[in-house]
Amino acid sequence: SQKIEQNSEALNIQEGKTATLTCNYTNYSPAYLQWYRQDPGRGPVFLLLIRENEKEKRKERLKVTFDTTLKQSLFHITASQPADSATYLCALLYSSASKIIFGSGTRLSIRP
Amino acid sequence: DAGVTQSPTHLIKTRGQQVTLRCSPKSGHDTVSWYQQALGQGPQFIFQYYEEEERQRGNFPDRFSGHQFPNYSSELNVNALLLGDSALYLCASSRGGRQETQYFGPGTRLLVL
């Protein structure tokens, strides 16, 4: 069955640096890959979607890359701020109307 | 513009009982998906409702059932509760049976004793 792996350890970054989170998957590539942010006790918030034929997507300080050869997506937050501290989830979709598979998330802490 | 709402926010039940959770989608959305999230894990897809029908289902037993109403709101029912059903239950809404952009509600925290 399809598996998703995200950085298992929490990530601690100094404010102002770039945070890079990893999402690796096994087996076949998804049609879409999403990134979400989740704060404690709250539902996930959609951040970005990247399609299998796209290499990179940007939104303000966020950048997502998608490498179907490596079976990996990287999520970057540039000029990180303490307010960026949260758990970040990646999720795979194999078509626009199919089941979503989520990773277990990476907890990111930005220290001032 | 109302976002996704869920009720109740918290619930405590005992083993063997039944529970019903409710979700109202974001305005303009007609598709509702339900997820179970255990502590420290990512959400696990339970099922999706679109046009009042269950369209997709994850690996959950038949104890988990749902319904979608003509106003697009939805219910998740869980029968014969087990201790392992304790989790955060999330509802997400989207459009047209698609899941490319989903908006999640705050969740219902269920504790089974």
Side-chain angles (χ1 to χ4, degrees), chain B residues 17-67:
Chain B
Q17 285 189 310
Q18 179 263 343
V19 69
T20 297
L21 310 182
R22 295 175 178 83
C23 171
S24 290
K26 180 178 165 63
S27 177
H29 285 189
D30 57 9
T31 303
V32 173
S33 300
W34 286 94
Y35 296 83
Q36 180 193 67
Q37 187 175 25
L39 210 57
Q41 300 297 314
Q44 275 198 287
F45 176 75
I46 303 175
F47 42 53
Q48 180 199 65
Y49 276 85
Y50 172 57
E51 294 182 328
E52 300 180 50
E53 288 187 12
E54 183 183 296
R55 298 290 177 163
Q56 292 280 345
R57 189 179 182 94
N59 295 327
F60 280 81
D62 292 345
R63 298 187 298 110
F64 289 77
S65 64
H67 188 77

Side-chain angles (χ1 to χ4, degrees), chain B residues 5 10 20 29-30 36 40 56-57 62 66 70 73 75 77-78 87 93 95-96 98 103-104 106 108:
Chain B
T5 59
H10 295 82
T20 297
H29 285 189
D30 57 9
Q36 180 193 67
Q56 292 280 345
R57 189 179 182 94
D62 292 345
S73 67
E75 287 182 348
N77 300 294
V78 187
S93 76
R95 287 188 179 131
R98 302 166 73 94
Y103 291 82
F104 280 84
T108 294

Side-chain angles (χ1 to χ4, degrees), chain A:
Chain A
S1 62
Q2 188 67 298
K3 284 188 179 177
I4 304 174
E5 288 183 0
Q6 295 190 244
N7 307 58
S8 56
E9 302 292 326
L11 205 56
N12 292 293
I13 302 289
Q14 179 73 43
E15 183 178 6
K17 302 288 188 187
T18 296
T20 298
L21 284 66
T22 305
C23 177
N24 295 300
Y25 58 91
T26 60
N27 301 336
Y28 43 98
S29 289
Y32 308 87
L33 194 147
Q34 301 171 322
W35 283 89
Y36 291 82
R37 169 186 173 136
Q38 187 172 26
D39 291 287
R42 299 195 168 201
V45 174
F46 172 78
L47 296 174
L48 281 167
L49 176 145
I50 188 164
R51 292 177 168 78
E52 62 178 333
N53 60 351
E54 296 175 318
K55 297 286 186 195
E56 182 179 297
K57 204 79 161 293
R58 290 176 187 258
K59 179 183 174 183
E60 298 171 355
R61 294 185 296 111
L62 309 179
K63 184 177 88 170
V64 172
T65 63
F66 194 3
D67 188 327
T68 54
T69 303
L70 292 178
K71 298 188 177 180
Q72 180 181 80
S73 174
L74 298 178
F75 177 79
H76 307 272
I77 305 176
T78 58
S80 59
Q81 303 165 2
D84 295 325
S85 299
T87 294
Y88 290 86
L89 299 159
C90 76
L92 311 184
L93 290 84
Y94 289 88
S95 69
S96 62
S98 74
K99 308 172 196 182
I100 292 183
I101 305 172
F102 277 84
S104 57
T106 298
R107 193 165 62 217
L108 175 65
S109 293
I110 309 296
R111 58 181 186 275

